[in-house]
Amino acid sequence: MIKKGIGRQIVMHYFIVVFVTLFMVELIFSLAIRMYYYDTIYNHMSNHTTWASDYFQKFVKLNADNDPHYFTEMLDAFELKDTELLILNRKGNVKASSNPFQDEKAIQTSDVLQAASGSVGKWIGRQPSTGEMVMAVSSPLQVRGENAYIVRYVTSLEAVNSKMMNLTLLSSAVCVAVLALVTLFSIGLANSIVKPINNIRAVSAQLAKGKFDTRIEGEYRYELGELASTLNYMAQEIVRSNQIKDDFISSISHELRTPLTGIKGWSETLTSGGFDPDETKIGMNIISKETDRLIGLVEEMLDFSKLQQNEMKLVIGRVKLQELLKEIMLNVWAKAEKKQIQIKLDDKMDKPITVIGDANRLKQVFLNLVDNAIKFSHENSWIHLVINPISAEQVQIEVVDSGIGISEENLSRVRDRFFQVNHQGGGTGLGLAISQQLVELHQGKMDIRSELGTGTTVSVTLPMPIHDPENRDEDVEQMNSEDQN
């Protein structure tokens, strides 16, 4: 017994469709066979009644009623095998019969009545005397233009009905066999669908319980195969995300512990007293520096949380691109100078460029990109900030360095949240993920190209306002409206 579910539905639908189809075919086949046999018998007897009528009209004697041997000769001439021949008068009384045991009662069946009215009649029913199923065909016999007699053929249908019953039973057996095969096929088809679904469901239940190392085994085809691959990929991504989360927790714990250790150490030292003003100033500077570092880590995590929850609000305005990049260069100049890294602005535009966006967030994006370039560059290397015009509506800013580069394996994952190429470099692994989302909020695009040991190029494409002065304020208002929505 098939359990209630998709499998049963598939089997039942197949069974019902095939059963109805076979029933209709069987019904049509039975009716066609019956019609064929009955029409063949009727045509055969109808032709003989016509021949007998023609013969009677051509050779009938005027005193046929007074010659009892005349009808006997006619019976001998037109009698059919396994068929009873009768000559009746218009009232249905038997004048002559090939059956010596004929009932003396008048015959009033529909075929006799039709023949008495001048047409060929057919009647199918049970013989009163024997109770067997018969077919009777009657035709008028004319004398001097009047319907004087009726010729009637009667044949049993029992043998024909028996043959038709055998054919019907045979065809029914074939239909039952076909129905059984289709049912077996539908059960196999249902199992081929239900078993993988049950397997996928069982694995999904294991995943829901936190057993993310469980995988769907087996090769499934079509949509089921795609579903299995998707679930396996989902489980793999969950494991990877958990690993990234664990690495992030480990990394952020270290990042938080380092400044806290400095703050705690100097605060305890300063509390104990006995230091000259210079040493006290050094300690306070370290506490201030480590506090700023802690604030930066917290703000980075808050920004990421806002972006994930679509709660980041942009203050849209006009941003002068060259001024923004020069300000970033000044901010990182001291850090670059320590590693003797040269930072250069390569402006290929012959006029000031204005983009529409949030100046603070765009500064955060490029400051993070330049800071990463400094962090992963060798001493005595260079970093170029390149401004390239793409079209009248877009500008591209590239941060090009000659640093250590990124391997092809890590390049596709470097923008993932919490991912760090070098865990010794510090940080939360959120910088590029936040930068990517901020650029997308500005309706821009960020691409990364890198070669291990050669350097990295990060391209940021941003939209520029339409140069028509009448439309500039409308552009700002439109972006502010989209951000609020």
Side-chain angles (χ1 to χ4, degrees):
M1 184 65 180
I2 302 176
K3 294 182 180 180
K4 186 177 182 180
I6 296 177
R8 179 183 292 184
Q9 292 295 319
I10 292 174
V11 174
M12 289 302 298
H13 279 82
Y14 266 94
F15 182 87
I16 291 172
V17 170
V18 175
F19 176 80
V20 172
T21 302
L22 291 176
F23 177 79
M24 293 177 64
V25 170
E26 176 68 15
L27 182 62
I28 293 172
F29 174 76
S30 299
L31 292 175
I33 289 295
R34 185 178 186 277
M35 186 179 298
Y36 170 77
Y37 275 105
Y38 281 15
D39 285 351
T40 300
I41 295 172
Y42 168 75
N43 291 333
H44 185 60
M45 292 195 298
S46 178
N47 290 334
H48 276 75
T49 58
T50 302
W51 296 340
S53 178
D54 292 343
Y55 173 83
F56 189 85
Q57 293 182 52
K58 292 179 181 179
F59 303 105
V60 65
K61 297 180 181 179
L62 296 178
N63 58 346
D65 286 337
N66 299 323
D67 187 357
H69 299 289
Y70 181 78
F71 287 122
T72 302
E73 294 175 358
M74 186 176 178
L75 294 176
D76 293 338
F78 292 96
E79 186 179 7
L80 293 175
K81 184 180 179 181
D82 299 326
T83 302
E84 180 183 0
L85 175 59
L86 299 92
I87 306 297
L88 311 177
N89 60 18
R90 294 188 61 184
K91 295 182 180 180
N93 295 315
V94 178
K95 302 296 292 182
S97 174
S98 61
N99 182 7
F101 303 102
Q102 181 62 43
D103 194 351
E104 295 181 357
K105 293 182 180 180
I107 301 174
Q108 297 295 323
T109 55
S110 59
D111 61 307
V112 174
L113 298 177
Q114 289 177 344
S117 64
S119 61
V120 179
K122 181 177 75 172
W123 174 77
I124 298 176
R126 293 196 176 276
Q127 191 78 292
S129 59
T130 61
E132 63 178 345
M133 186 68 70
V134 297
M135 177 188 291
V137 178
S138 300
S139 178
L141 295 178
Q142 294 184 353
V143 177
R144 301 184 186 94
E146 295 182 0
N147 296 331
Y149 299 99
I150 297 172
V151 58
R152 186 176 191 248
Y153 283 99
V154 181
T155 185
S156 174
L157 297 177
E158 295 296 330
V160 172
N161 289 341
S162 177
K163 290 182 179 179
M164 289 194 298
M165 179 59 70
N166 291 335
L167 288 175
T168 301
L169 291 176
L170 179 61
S171 62
S172 298
V174 172
C175 291
V176 170
V178 171
L179 188 61
L181 289 175
V182 171
T183 302
L184 292 176
F185 171 78
S186 62
I187 291 174
L189 177 63
N191 288 334
S192 68
I193 297 175
V194 173
K195 287 183 177 179
I197 290 177
N198 289 336
N199 187 21
I200 293 172
R201 183 179 62 181
V203 173
S204 301
Q206 294 297 315
L207 294 176
K209 295 178 180 178
K211 298 180 180 179
F212 300 121
D213 57 341
T214 308
R215 295 293 183 271
I216 299 173
E217 304 294 339
E219 294 291 333
Y220 302 131
R221 302 174 63 186
Y222 309 121
E223 286 82 358
L224 289 175
E226 294 176 3
L227 177 60
S229 299
T230 302
L231 285 176
N232 284 338
Y233 176 75
M234 181 188 70
Q236 180 181 348
E237 288 299 303
I238 291 174
V239 172
R240 191 170 72 89
S241 297
N242 286 339
Q243 183 62 45
I244 292 174
K245 180 190 67 176
D246 295 339
D247 293 342
F248 167 73
I249 293 174
S250 175
S251 175
I252 199 65
S253 299
H254 174 75
E255 291 296 317
L256 293 174
R257 184 186 297 113
T258 301
L260 286 174
T261 300
I263 293 171
K264 181 176 177 58
W266 273 103
S267 62
E268 290 177 349
T269 301
L270 294 174
T271 301
S272 62
F275 293 95
D276 59 38
D278 291 337
E279 290 178 336
T280 301
K281 185 177 181 180
I282 293 173
M284 293 302 295
N285 286 336
I286 292 175
I287 291 175
S288 177
K289 181 180 177 181
E290 295 300 326
T291 302
D292 290 338
R293 183 178 175 186
L294 279 175
I295 292 173
L297 291 172
V298 173
E299 287 182 348
E300 190 173 57
M301 289 186 289
L302 287 175
D303 286 344
F304 178 75
S305 176
K306 289 179 180 179
L307 287 170
Q308 291 300 107
Q309 299 176 16
N310 296 321
E311 294 180 354
M312 177 68 71
K313 302 298 181 182
L314 301 181
V315 181
I316 301 299
R318 298 186 179 279
V319 181
K320 295 181 179 180
L321 190 58
Q322 286 92 338
E323 293 183 6
L324 178 69
L325 295 179
K326 289 177 181 179
E327 183 180 348
I328 291 171
M329 292 171 63
L330 290 175
N331 289 340
V332 300
W333 178 82
K335 187 174 182 178
E337 186 68 19
K338 290 181 179 180
K339 298 180 70 173
Q340 297 182 356
I341 297 174
Q342 296 182 357
I343 301 179
K344 178 182 177 182
L345 176 62
D346 186 0
D347 187 1
K348 297 183 180 181
M349 302 292 288
D350 55 358
K351 58 183 178 180
I353 298 297
T354 300
V355 296
I356 301 298
D358 187 325
N360 290 328
R361 294 303 178 183
L362 289 177
K363 181 179 179 180
Q364 179 181 352
V365 170
F366 291 110
L367 191 59
N368 178 71
L369 297 180
V370 176
D371 185 70
N372 282 343
I374 295 173
K375 184 186 299 184
F376 297 106
S377 292
H378 305 290
E379 293 184 355
N380 299 314
S381 59
W382 51 264
I383 297 173
H384 288 177
L385 305 181
V386 184
I387 302 176
N388 287 321
I390 296 180
S391 66
E393 299 178 355
Q394 287 184 319
V395 63
Q396 185 182 74
I397 305 94
E398 293 183 335
V399 179
V400 185
D401 66 60
S402 57
I404 62 175
I406 306 171
S407 66
E408 184 177 354
E409 177 185 358
N410 292 327
L411 187 60
S412 60
R413 301 176 55 194
V414 73
R415 283 175 285 189
D416 293 348
R417 56 184 182 176
F418 310 132
F419 179 78
Q420 292 177 284
V421 176
N422 182 6
H423 294 281
Q424 304 299 324
T428 61
L430 293 174
L432 283 178
I434 293 174
S435 298
Q436 169 87 17
Q437 290 183 278
L438 286 175
V439 171
E440 291 175 352
L441 281 179
H442 283 82
Q443 300 170 5
K445 183 175 65 174
M446 186 174 78
D447 294 318
I448 302 177
R449 305 186 303 275
S450 184
E451 185 176 347
L452 190 62
T454 302
T456 302
T457 299
V458 182
S459 302
V460 176
T461 303
L462 295 173
M464 292 190 299
I466 301 175
H467 294 293
D468 187 353
E470 297 181 357
N471 293 333
R472 290 184 178 178
D473 292 336
E474 296 177 3
D475 293 333
V476 176
E477 292 175 1
Q478 181 179 1
M479 289 193 69
N480 274 315
S481 175
E482 292 176 357
D483 177 63
Q484 292 175 1
N485 293 334

Short mmCIF file of all heavy atoms in Angstrom, two decimals, residues 48 100 105-106 127-128 132 150 217 232 235 251 274 298 319 335 372 402 420 425 435 455 468:
data_model
loop_
_atom_site.label_atom_id
_atom_site.label_comp_id
_atom_site.label_asym_id
_atom_site.label_seq_id
_atom_site.Cartn_x
_atom_site.Cartn_y
_atom_site.Cartn_z
N HIS A 48 -31.65 -12.02 -48.75
CA HIS A 48 -32.42 -13.21 -49.09
C HIS A 48 -33.92 -12.92 -49.11
O HIS A 48 -34.67 -13.50 -49.92
CB HIS A 48 -32.11 -14.35 -48.10
CG HIS A 48 -30.87 -15.11 -48.49
ND1 HIS A 48 -29.61 -14.62 -48.33
CD2 HIS A 48 -30.73 -16.36 -49.07
CE1 HIS A 48 -28.72 -15.50 -48.74
NE2 HIS A 48 -29.38 -16.58 -49.22
N PRO A 100 -40.92 -27.37 -38.04
CA PRO A 100 -42.18 -28.10 -37.89
C PRO A 100 -42.87 -27.87 -36.55
O PRO A 100 -44.04 -28.17 -36.39
CB PRO A 100 -41.74 -29.56 -38.03
CG PRO A 100 -40.30 -29.57 -37.62
CD PRO A 100 -39.75 -28.27 -38.07
N LYS A 105 -49.86 -19.40 -32.80
CA LYS A 105 -50.28 -18.03 -32.52
C LYS A 105 -49.73 -17.09 -33.59
O LYS A 105 -48.67 -17.31 -34.17
CB LYS A 105 -49.80 -17.59 -31.16
CG LYS A 105 -50.46 -18.33 -30.00
CD LYS A 105 -49.95 -17.79 -28.68
CE LYS A 105 -50.60 -18.53 -27.50
NZ LYS A 105 -50.13 -18.03 -26.19
N ALA A 106 -50.47 -16.01 -33.85
CA ALA A 106 -50.04 -15.00 -34.82
C ALA A 106 -48.82 -14.26 -34.27
O ALA A 106 -48.72 -13.99 -33.07
CB ALA A 106 -51.17 -14.04 -35.11
N GLN A 127 -36.94 -15.19 -28.14
CA GLN A 127 -37.98 -16.03 -28.70
C GLN A 127 -38.90 -16.49 -27.58
O GLN A 127 -38.43 -17.07 -26.57
CB GLN A 127 -37.34 -17.25 -29.39
CG GLN A 127 -38.27 -18.07 -30.24
CD GLN A 127 -38.54 -17.43 -31.58
OE1 GLN A 127 -39.18 -16.39 -31.61
NE2 GLN A 127 -38.08 -18.05 -32.65
N PRO A 128 -40.22 -16.26 -27.69
CA PRO A 128 -41.14 -16.64 -26.60
C PRO A 128 -41.10 -18.12 -26.27
O PRO A 128 -41.21 -18.52 -25.11
CB PRO A 128 -42.50 -16.20 -27.13
CG PRO A 128 -42.20 -15.13 -28.14
CD PRO A 128 -40.91 -15.54 -28.78
N GLU A 132 -34.39 -17.85 -26.16
CA GLU A 132 -33.07 -17.47 -26.65
C GLU A 132 -33.14 -16.16 -27.44
O GLU A 132 -34.19 -15.79 -27.97
CB GLU A 132 -32.47 -18.57 -27.52
CG GLU A 132 -33.23 -18.87 -28.79
CD GLU A 132 -32.57 -19.93 -29.64
OE1 GLU A 132 -31.39 -20.23 -29.39
OE2 GLU A 132 -33.24 -20.46 -30.55
N ILE A 150 -45.87 -12.21 -46.17
CA ILE A 150 -44.63 -11.71 -45.54
C ILE A 150 -43.65 -12.86 -45.45
O ILE A 150 -44.02 -13.95 -44.99
CB ILE A 150 -44.90 -11.14 -44.13
CG1 ILE A 150 -45.84 -9.93 -44.20
CG2 ILE A 150 -43.59 -10.75 -43.44
CD1 ILE A 150 -46.30 -9.44 -42.83
N GLU A 217 23.51 12.25 -0.68
CA GLU A 217 24.27 11.31 -1.49
C GLU A 217 23.44 10.87 -2.70
O GLU A 217 22.21 10.84 -2.65
CB GLU A 217 24.68 10.09 -0.67
CG GLU A 217 25.46 10.42 0.60
CD GLU A 217 26.82 11.01 0.31
OE1 GLU A 217 27.32 10.81 -0.83
OE2 GLU A 217 27.38 11.70 1.18
N ASN A 232 23.17 20.90 -0.86
CA ASN A 232 24.57 20.60 -0.52
C ASN A 232 25.42 21.88 -0.52
O ASN A 232 26.27 22.08 0.36
CB ASN A 232 25.15 19.60 -1.52
CG ASN A 232 24.65 18.19 -1.26
OD1 ASN A 232 24.21 17.86 -0.16
ND2 ASN A 232 24.70 17.34 -2.27
N ALA A 235 24.58 23.84 2.59
CA ALA A 235 25.25 23.29 3.77
C ALA A 235 26.73 23.66 3.76
O ALA A 235 27.30 24.00 4.81
CB ALA A 235 25.08 21.77 3.80
N SER A 251 39.47 36.68 15.61
CA SER A 251 40.23 37.86 15.18
C SER A 251 39.79 39.10 15.93
O SER A 251 40.63 39.88 16.42
CB SER A 251 40.05 38.06 13.67
OG SER A 251 40.67 39.25 13.24
N GLY A 274 53.44 58.90 40.68
CA GLY A 274 54.90 58.91 40.74
C GLY A 274 55.58 59.09 39.41
O GLY A 274 56.79 58.80 39.29
N VAL A 298 34.46 49.31 16.57
CA VAL A 298 33.02 49.27 16.89
C VAL A 298 32.21 49.92 15.77
O VAL A 298 31.16 49.41 15.37
CB VAL A 298 32.76 49.96 18.24
CG1 VAL A 298 31.26 50.09 18.49
CG2 VAL A 298 33.41 49.17 19.37
N VAL A 319 29.82 65.97 -4.45
CA VAL A 319 31.14 65.68 -3.90
C VAL A 319 32.18 65.97 -4.97
O VAL A 319 32.11 65.40 -6.08
CB VAL A 319 31.25 64.22 -3.42
CG1 VAL A 319 32.63 63.97 -2.82
CG2 VAL A 319 30.16 63.90 -2.41
N LYS A 335 51.25 57.42 7.51
CA LYS A 335 51.36 55.96 7.52
C LYS A 335 52.16 55.47 6.32
O LYS A 335 52.97 54.53 6.45
CB LYS A 335 49.95 55.34 7.50
CG LYS A 335 49.94 53.85 7.68
CD LYS A 335 48.50 53.34 7.81
CE LYS A 335 48.46 51.84 8.05
NZ LYS A 335 47.08 51.33 8.21
N ASN A 372 44.28 49.66 2.82
CA ASN A 372 44.61 48.27 2.49
C ASN A 372 45.82 48.21 1.56
O ASN A 372 46.68 47.33 1.70
CB ASN A 372 43.42 47.59 1.82
CG ASN A 372 42.37 47.17 2.81
OD1 ASN A 372 42.62 47.09 4.02
ND2 ASN A 372 41.16 46.90 2.32
N SER A 402 51.57 48.31 -5.98
CA SER A 402 52.57 47.32 -6.43
C SER A 402 52.92 46.40 -5.27
O SER A 402 54.08 46.04 -5.07
CB SER A 402 53.82 48.04 -6.94
OG SER A 402 54.35 48.90 -5.93
N GLN A 420 39.57 37.20 5.63
CA GLN A 420 40.86 37.87 5.68
C GLN A 420 41.89 37.02 4.97
O GLN A 420 42.02 35.82 5.24
CB GLN A 420 41.31 38.10 7.13
CG GLN A 420 40.45 39.11 7.89
CD GLN A 420 40.90 39.25 9.33
OE1 GLN A 420 40.62 38.38 10.14
NE2 GLN A 420 41.59 40.33 9.64
N GLY A 425 47.49 40.42 9.67
CA GLY A 425 47.46 41.84 9.37
C GLY A 425 46.50 42.62 10.23
O GLY A 425 46.44 43.84 10.17
N SER A 435 32.78 48.41 1.98
CA SER A 435 33.05 49.28 0.84
C SER A 435 32.22 48.88 -0.37
O SER A 435 31.67 49.73 -1.08
CB SER A 435 34.54 49.24 0.49
OG SER A 435 35.33 49.71 1.57
N GLY A 455 50.75 42.96 -7.65
CA GLY A 455 50.00 44.11 -7.16
C GLY A 455 48.52 43.94 -7.37
O GLY A 455 48.05 42.94 -7.93
N ASP A 468 23.51 69.27 -17.51
CA ASP A 468 22.52 70.33 -17.65
C ASP A 468 22.27 70.97 -16.29
O ASP A 468 21.80 70.31 -15.38
CB ASP A 468 21.21 69.74 -18.20
CG ASP A 468 20.20 70.83 -18.53
OD1 ASP A 468 20.46 72.01 -18.21
OD2 ASP A 468 19.13 70.48 -19.09
#
